[in-house]
Amino acid sequence: MAFARLSVLVALALTATQTVNAALTKRVTWPLACTANPPVVVPLFPIVDQIQQDLFDGGDCGEEAHSALRLSFHDAIGFSIHGSGGGADGSILAFNETETAFHANGGIDDITARQFPVFLETGLTAGDFVHLAAAIGTANCPGAPRLEFKFGRPAPKAPAPDKTIPEPTDSVTSILARFADAGFSSDEAVALLASHTIAAADVIDPTIPGTPFDSTAGTFDTQVFLEVLLKGSLFPGNGSQSGEVLSPLHGEMRLQSDFVISQDPRTACTWQSFVNNQQKMVTEFKAAMAKLQVLGQPRNLIDCSDVVPVPKPFTSAIKFPASFSREDVQIACPQRAFPSLATVAGPAPTIPPVPGS
């Protein structure tokens, strides 16, 4: 039974199947184990290779990579410092029939269905698989930080509580309260929203699945922090939908929650501070993700971050989309100087959907 396998602990993972090893021998040139002390003898590098091939088309920053990062957040945030929820335990994969029915998990069923058979082949616990896959998928996106990966999560015991995932229609007060209940400051909450630079909406307006939140969804850059601040004039699909506000660009969706966070005095300056500051964004996102991905987990997890691929760098300055300028920015933090940015030449663009959506 699938759930019997989900209960496998780290000891059983140490003898991951010869079938997986044999299937991967021809294409793996990495060492078998991470370089932790003491070393982990689970064949994590071959498992990384398998995840890349079977989930991410060999290393693509596409829909599956974006969804894997979203899945890790939705899994881990089901946690409270006051004692409820298993946190980053993989319950969203192990108990997928329950958790994909949560309102905030609309569209998650696609990635859980894609990941579940691969997960069963690896011998990892659900928590280790979900958060390793997120780190690998994110690493496929140029500009992303190399996320940490800690190994040794026990099997999840129960589904996460419902209504623990912030939603696009929530107020800033509600969102910050939910993050605080999970142990995150308002600055860390904004840093985690850097994930939206490679994200897309599938269910807010189901007529336009894969609608990105910025114009460079294949690059982990600060463009989303700029474009959320631009004056909106249109809806990308079938008119106004719950959870979105007017967008500045054809083909792009602006989440209501992103916009109100960008404008609220508690968060506006942090939001604006990431515009064209790639190093600050990736540093703070990586730190917040390192905290998120061990919520509710034992303190003795083993650092196996060396199995995570090294992302390609992004060193360019971001630009205003064509036809936009500083005059179109809705400044909510006047005490912080807004960076000087060039504008892409040409007419206003139409942003294509994320490939694979």
Side-chain angles (χ1 to χ4, degrees):
M1 294 294 291
F3 288 106
R5 185 157 187 166
L6 295 179
S7 66
V8 175
L9 299 177
V10 175
L12 183 54
L14 299 181
T15 58
T17 65
Q18 293 181 350
T19 301
V20 173
N21 287 330
L24 296 170
T25 298
K26 293 183 179 179
R27 66 188 186 215
V28 172
T29 57
W30 295 321
L32 289 181
C34 82
T35 55
N37 186 18
V40 173
V41 297
V42 176
L44 288 175
F45 281 104
I47 288 172
V48 169
D49 190 64
Q50 181 186 15
I51 290 172
Q52 283 282 41
Q53 296 299 324
D54 294 349
L55 290 181
F56 304 132
D57 300 319
D60 184 43
C61 179
E63 172 66 14
E64 290 77 14
H66 307 168
S67 296
L69 181 56
R70 181 188 180 208
L71 190 70
S72 71
F73 173 76
H74 283 229
D75 177 58
I77 201 65
F79 172 81
S80 170
I81 57 176
H82 302 293
S84 64
D89 61 357
S91 65
I92 200 166
L93 188 60
F95 301 101
N96 56 77
E97 290 188 5
T98 299
E99 293 198 31
T100 55
F102 296 170
H103 185 265
N105 284 338
I108 285 286
D109 54 331
D110 288 342
I111 190 63
T112 55
R114 183 82 183 266
Q115 286 192 5
F116 195 78
V118 182
F119 150 65
L120 291 179
E121 292 179 0
T122 64
L124 297 178
T125 63
D128 279 350
F129 183 89
V130 165
H131 296 286
L132 176 59
I136 296 167
T138 302
N140 293 336
C141 301
R146 189 188 194 194
L147 297 179
E148 295 180 8
F149 171 63
K150 300 293 180 67
F151 174 80
R153 294 169 182 80
K157 296 178 180 179
D162 196 1
K163 300 181 179 180
T164 56
I165 302 166
E167 299 206 49
T169 54
D170 290 345
S171 68
V172 177
T173 296
S174 175
I175 291 169
L176 295 183
R178 176 74 275 275
F179 274 104
D181 184 48
F184 292 91
S185 69
S186 60
D187 286 348
E188 290 172 323
V190 177
L192 286 170
L193 292 174
S195 62
H196 287 181
T197 187
I198 57 167
D202 289 325
V203 298
I204 290 178
D205 186 340
T207 67
I208 48 170
T211 303
F213 299 145
D214 75 11
S215 59
T216 57
T219 304
F220 202 102
D221 57 20
T222 69
Q223 197 76 28
V224 70
F225 290 101
L226 169 64
E227 291 177 13
V228 166
L229 292 174
L230 299 179
K231 294 176 182 177
S233 60
L234 55 90
F235 293 107
N238 189 24
S240 176
Q241 305 294 321
S242 179
E244 69 172 331
V245 295
L246 289 168
S247 172
L249 296 171
H250 288 279
E252 178 178 294
M253 182 174 290
R254 177 155 50 189
L255 292 179
Q256 175 184 318
S257 52
D258 282 354
F259 181 67
V260 295
I261 286 172
S262 79
Q263 300 296 301
D264 190 278
R266 293 167 289 184
T267 48
C269 289
T270 302
W271 185 281
Q272 187 176 310
S273 74
F274 291 135
V275 176
N276 204 37
N277 194 334
Q278 182 76 10
Q279 188 59 50
K280 175 179 170 63
M281 181 190 71
V282 298
T283 298
E284 296 189 20
F285 176 73
K286 179 175 181 176
M289 281 296 297
K291 184 174 176 179
L292 179 83
Q293 292 188 290
V294 296
L295 286 180
Q297 300 309 295
R299 293 181 178 273
N300 61 346
L301 296 181
I302 302 170
D303 189 351
C304 284
S305 301
D306 60 317
V307 306
V308 178
V310 178
K312 294 179 181 178
F314 174 80
T315 57
S316 303
I318 65 168
K319 297 180 179 181
F320 286 110
S323 80
F324 287 85
S325 69
R326 171 67 176 75
E327 294 181 356
D328 298 300
V329 179
Q330 300 171 101
I331 294 290
C333 179
Q335 60 268 43
R336 179 183 291 273
F338 196 84
S340 177
L341 302 173
T343 297
V344 175
T350 295
I351 312 304
V354 171
S357 299

